[in-house]
């Protein structure tokens, strides 16, 4: 990726994890890569969905991903849905 690092334009911090990427999704200031094994790599501005460290263990076996401006939702291989980001923008499906 390229561009302003504050807006997801610098993936050097996660570059070693960007292997065998099958899909790429963008949200505001954030990029999400899904690898062939369903693992996820997220980078960009933490305030805009990329700070998902608390969900990292659950973000495996991702089948599909959708993004809004400030939130993301994913369908996992077991059919469950997980969402994160700003709750007022759809980032909470609890």
């Amino acid at each position: 990726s390229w561009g302003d690092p504050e807006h997801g334009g610098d993936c050097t911090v996660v570059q070693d994890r960007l292997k065998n990427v099958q899909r790429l999704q963008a949200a505001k200031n954030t990029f999400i890569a899904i690898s062939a094994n369903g693992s996820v790599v997220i980078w960009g501005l933490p305030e805009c969905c990329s700070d998902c460290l608390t969900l990292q263990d659950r973000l495996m076996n991702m089948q599909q991903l959708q993004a809004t401006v400030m939130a993301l939702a994913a369908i996992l291989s077991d059919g469950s849905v997980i969402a994160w980001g700003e709750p007022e923008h759809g980032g909470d499906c609890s």
Side-chain angles (χ1 to χ4, degrees):
S1 62
W2 59 94
D4 188 336
E6 296 264 325
H7 300 280
D10 182 5
C11 65
T12 55
V13 72
V14 296
Q15 187 70 48
D16 62 323
R17 295 174 41 212
L18 293 172
K19 307 288 186 221
N20 205 16
V21 172
Q22 302 296 307
R23 288 175 270 176
L24 189 65
Q25 179 75 44
K28 183 178 181 181
N29 303 323
T30 303
F31 288 98
I32 305 95
I34 304 173
S35 70
N37 69 1
S39 64
V40 177
V41 179
I42 302 174
W43 70 97
L45 190 64
E47 293 82 19
C48 297
C49 309
S50 62
D51 188 13
C52 67
L53 295 177
T54 58
L55 298 173
Q56 195 65 47
D57 291 340
R58 295 178 59 196
L59 294 177
M60 293 297 297
N61 302 314
M62 189 177 291
Q63 301 299 305
Q64 188 174 355
L65 179 69
Q66 292 296 317
T68 67
V69 174
M70 300 283 285
L72 297 113
I75 300 173
L76 305 180
S77 61
D78 65 1
S80 64
V81 174
I82 185 172
W84 67 99
E86 294 295 323
E88 60 270 13
H89 293 277
D92 183 4
C93 65
S94 58

